[in-house]
C-alpha cells in the first residue's frame, strides 16, 4: 500500500515534470518565433543588399537608390544620444550605488527612472518637438533627435548600470580598502571592471533602441533623404526609412533590405561590444 509520503513525492515529481515541460515548450516557442522572424527578414532582404544599395542616397522617395544617407543619419543620432546619456547614466548609477544610503532622494530618483522608462516613445517625440525643435530653436536636426533619444535611453542605462554595480561582491571593496585605496580608486579599479559587462549590456540595449526608434525621431530629426552635413541638419534614420517605405508601399524590396541591414548592424554591434569587454576584463584581471 502506498504511504501518504510516497504519494506526495510522486505527485511532486509529476508536477515538476509538467512544469519543466511547460517551461521548455515556452522557450522553444519563443526561440522558434524569433528564428522565423529573423529568417524571414534575412531571406527577403539580403538579396537587395548590394554595394550600390549601401553607397547610394535614396531617390524618388526611397523607391530608387540606396540607404547611405540613412546609415550616416542613424550613426550620428546614436552617437549623440549615447555620448550624452552614457556618462550621465553611469554617473547616476554609481552615485546611487556607492555614494548614498537609501533615503527619500534615492527613492525619488529610482521612481523617476522607472516611470520615465515606461513612457511611450511618441510622448518623448512630442516633448522633443516642443522643447528642442521649437523652444530651443534647434529645428528638425540630428542634435534634436539625439537629445530626445538620450532622454529615452537614460533610465535604461541608470537601472542596468546600478544593478550591475550592486552585483559586485562586497569583498572586492573591502580588499581594496584594506590595501589603502581611496573610494574613487576602489570604484575605478575594483568595482567598475567587475560591473563592466552589465553596464555594456545596458548600453547595447540602449543602442538597439536608438537604431530601431521611429516615432520620436520623425518628430525631432525629420525625414530628409539628403546626406547630413552637420549636427544641425535634418536626417532620416534607417528605421524611419523602413517604416515609410513599408507603410506607404513605396518599395517593399528596399524596405526588406533596410530591415535586414538594421538586424545585421545590431548583430555586429553586439559582437564588437562583447569582444571589447572581454578583452578589457581579461586585461584588468
Amino acid at each position: 500500500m502506498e504511504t501518504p509520503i510516497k504519494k506526495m513525492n510522486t505527485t511532486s515529481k509529476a508536477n515538476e515534470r509538467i512544469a519543466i515541460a511547460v517551461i521548455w515548450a515556452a522557450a522553444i516557442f519563443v526561440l522558434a518565433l524569433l528564428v522565423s522572424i529573423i529568417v524571414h527578414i534575412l531571406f527577403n532582404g539580403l538579396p537587395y543588399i548590394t554595394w550600390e544599395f549601401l553607397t547610394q542616397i535614396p531617390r524618388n522617395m526611397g523607391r530608387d537608390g540606396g540607404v547611405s544617407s540613412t546609415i550616416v543619419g542613424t550613426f550620428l543620432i546614436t552617437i549623440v544620444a549615447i555620448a550624452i546619456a552614457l556618462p550621465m547614466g553611469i554617473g547616476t548609477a554609481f552615485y546611487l550605488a556607492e555614494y548614498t544610503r537609501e533615503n527619500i532622494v534615492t527613492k525619488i530618483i529610482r521612481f523617476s527612472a522607472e516611470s520615465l522608462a515606461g513612457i511611450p516613445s511618441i510622448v518623448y517625440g512630442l516633448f522633443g518637438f516642443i522643447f528642442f525643435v521649437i523652444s530651443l530653436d534647434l529645428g528638425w536636426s540630428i542634435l534634436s533627435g539625439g537629445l530626445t533619444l538620450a532622454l529615452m535611453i537614460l533610465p535604461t542605462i541608470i537601472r542596468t548600470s546600478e544593478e550591475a554595480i550592486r552585483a559586485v561582491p562586497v569583498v572586492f571593496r573591502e580588499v581594496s580598502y584594506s590595501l589603502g585605496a581611496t573610494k574613487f580608486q576602489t570604484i575605478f579599479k575594483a568595482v567598475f571592471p567587475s560591473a563592466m559587462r552589465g553596464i555594456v549590456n545596458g548600453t547595447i540595449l540602449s543602442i538597439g533602441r536608438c537604431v530601431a526608434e521611429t516615432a520620436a525621431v520623425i518628430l525631432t530629426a525629420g525625414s530628409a533623404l539628403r546626406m547630413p552635413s552637420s549636427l544641425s541638419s535634418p536626417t532620416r534614420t534607417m528605421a524611419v526609412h523602413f517604416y515609410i517605405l513599408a507603410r506607404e508601399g513605396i518599395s517593399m524590396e528596399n524596405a526588406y533590405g533596410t530591415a535586414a541591414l538594421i538586424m545585421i548592424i545590431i548583430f555586429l554591434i553586439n559582437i564588437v561590444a562583447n569582444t571589447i569587454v572581454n578583452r578589457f576584463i581579461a586585461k584588468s584581471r
Side-chain angles (χ1 to χ4, degrees), residues 9-62:
N9 290 336
T10 303
T11 304
S12 299
K13 290 180 180 179
N15 293 336
E16 184 178 356
R17 292 192 187 97
I18 294 173
I20 292 174
V22 171
I23 292 172
W24 271 103
I28 293 173
F29 174 76
V30 172
L31 182 61
L33 183 62
L34 177 63
V35 171
S36 64
I37 294 173
I38 294 175
V39 170
H40 175 75
I41 294 176
L42 294 180
F43 179 79
N44 289 279
L46 285 178
Y48 301 103
I49 300 179
T50 61
W51 179 249
E52 290 75 15
F53 183 77
L54 296 175
T55 56
Q56 292 182 2
I57 296 175
R59 301 188 306 273
N60 194 15
M61 297 179 63

Side-chain angles (χ1 to χ4, degrees), residues 181-215:
T182 62
K183 182 78 170 180
F184 178 79
Q185 290 173 331
T186 299
I187 292 174
F188 186 73
K189 295 291 186 179
V191 179
F192 182 72
S194 301
M196 185 71 174
R197 187 176 298 279
I199 294 173
V200 170
N201 289 336
T203 304
I204 292 175
L205 289 174
S206 302
I207 292 175
R209 187 175 185 187
C210 291
V211 172
E213 182 56 42
T214 55

Side-chain angles (χ1 to χ4, degrees), residues 88-105:
M88 293 177 61
I90 295 177
T92 303
F94 272 107
Y95 170 77
L96 293 173
E98 299 292 333
Y99 286 97
T100 62
R101 295 181 179 180
E102 194 66 26
N103 53 43
I104 188 65
V105 176

Side-chain angles (χ1 to χ4, degrees), residues 20 32 36 46 70 85 106 110 120 131 135 144 185 198-199 252 254:
I20 292 174
S36 64
L46 285 178
T70 65
T106 57
R110 290 194 184 94
F131 185 68
S135 298
S144 297
Q185 290 173 331
I199 294 173
M252 291 307 299
N254 286 344

